[in-house]
Amino acid sequence: TELINIGYARAAGALSELSGHQIRLEVPSVDIHRIKDITPILQNVIKGEVASVNQVFGGPVAGNAILLLDKPAALLLNRLLTDRPEAKDLDGAGREVITEVGNIVLNACLGVFGNLLQIQVTFTVPSLQVENVADILSSITVEEQELNFALMIHTRFHLRTSDVSGYLVLILGVNSLDRLLSELKKWEEGSLA
């Protein structure tokens, strides 16, 4: 949670600069679930179409990072960041805005993992999908890795007088989760010393 919070502070700064408005990201709640359990959990909290920004990352810790926003949240975030009139769908410009928000949030979090844990993390270019949760999660793959676990991170974006809720999901294989937990333990011991 502390590492994600550091990443979110960086992301909030970048989003505030981009939008010209003060944006805060709430301290996240973090849970680990088996991959088979994540779809029903997310379907209970995110209904209907979802805007998801997906970014594959590699290195000693590899997987998929996904920012998920339900459609009303994505539309509201788009409107608040751009001062454009309210829309019923994400048009080309709206998709670019949400992709950039996802890029900022995902890179900030994954970058903090890499920097503080002193591991090399590489990223692909993020992509945006607008589908239901089950279809989004069923399309996730990481080359030659069996995906078993998901780190599910819930947060809220606070901007102006509105709150936008979203989920960041990191999908990892067993080896990547073991390595992440091992590196986190080292980091925690080092920060306490």
Side-chain angles (χ1 to χ4, degrees):
T1 301
E2 184 56 32
L3 270 183
I4 298 291
N5 203 35
I6 291 168
Y8 275 8
R10 291 181 183 176
L15 289 171
S16 295
E17 192 174 310
L18 179 74
S19 69
H21 299 286
Q22 178 66 32
I23 296 175
R24 289 183 305 110
L25 286 163
E26 194 173 274
V27 174
S29 63
V30 180
D31 295 302
I32 297 177
H33 300 281
R34 290 197 164 278
I35 195 71
K36 65 181 176 55
D37 300 329
I38 200 76
T39 299
I41 290 168
L42 283 169
Q43 285 174 322
N44 283 333
V45 291
I46 303 178
K47 307 291 184 197
E49 280 193 322
V50 177
S52 73
V53 181
N54 180 18
Q55 191 163 37
V56 176
F57 59 97
V61 176
N64 280 69
I66 312 164
L67 177 66
L68 298 160
L69 300 164
D70 67 21
K71 192 172 175 183
L75 291 169
L76 176 61
L77 190 58
N78 179 45
R79 184 174 58 80
L80 291 170
L81 288 171
T82 62
D83 290 322
R84 293 173 64 205
E86 194 164 340
K88 293 188 181 191
D89 284 309
L90 284 173
D91 60 8
R95 287 173 172 264
E96 285 181 29
V97 168
I98 297 304
T99 302
E100 186 57 25
V101 168
N103 189 35
I104 289 169
V105 172
L106 297 174
N107 279 322
C109 293
L110 295 173
V112 165
F113 275 7
N115 293 338
L116 293 180
L117 302 178
Q118 297 178 353
I119 55 176
Q120 181 69 34
V121 179
T122 59
F123 316 105
T124 62
V125 175
S127 62
L128 177 79
Q129 288 176 268
V130 180
E131 295 182 87
N132 66 50
V133 169
D135 289 341
I136 290 167
L137 293 178
S138 71
S139 69
I140 302 301
T141 58
V142 175
E143 248 180 69
E144 300 172 18
Q145 265 208 45
E146 186 181 340
L147 300 173
N148 290 313
F149 296 98
L151 230 59
M152 192 168 97
I153 302 149
H154 176 234
T155 193
R156 288 186 184 281
F157 297 82
H158 300 285
L159 57 160
R160 303 191 198 173
T161 58
S162 301
D163 291 343
V164 176
S165 184
Y167 290 85
L168 175 62
V169 178
L170 299 177
I171 298 176
L172 305 165
V174 174
N175 294 339
S176 287
L177 181 63
D178 286 347
R179 178 69 189 267
L180 179 61
L181 294 176
S182 165
E183 295 296 336
L184 281 170
K185 187 172 183 185
K186 286 184 207 169
W187 174 74
E188 185 179 39
E189 290 166 355
S191 65
L192 294 176

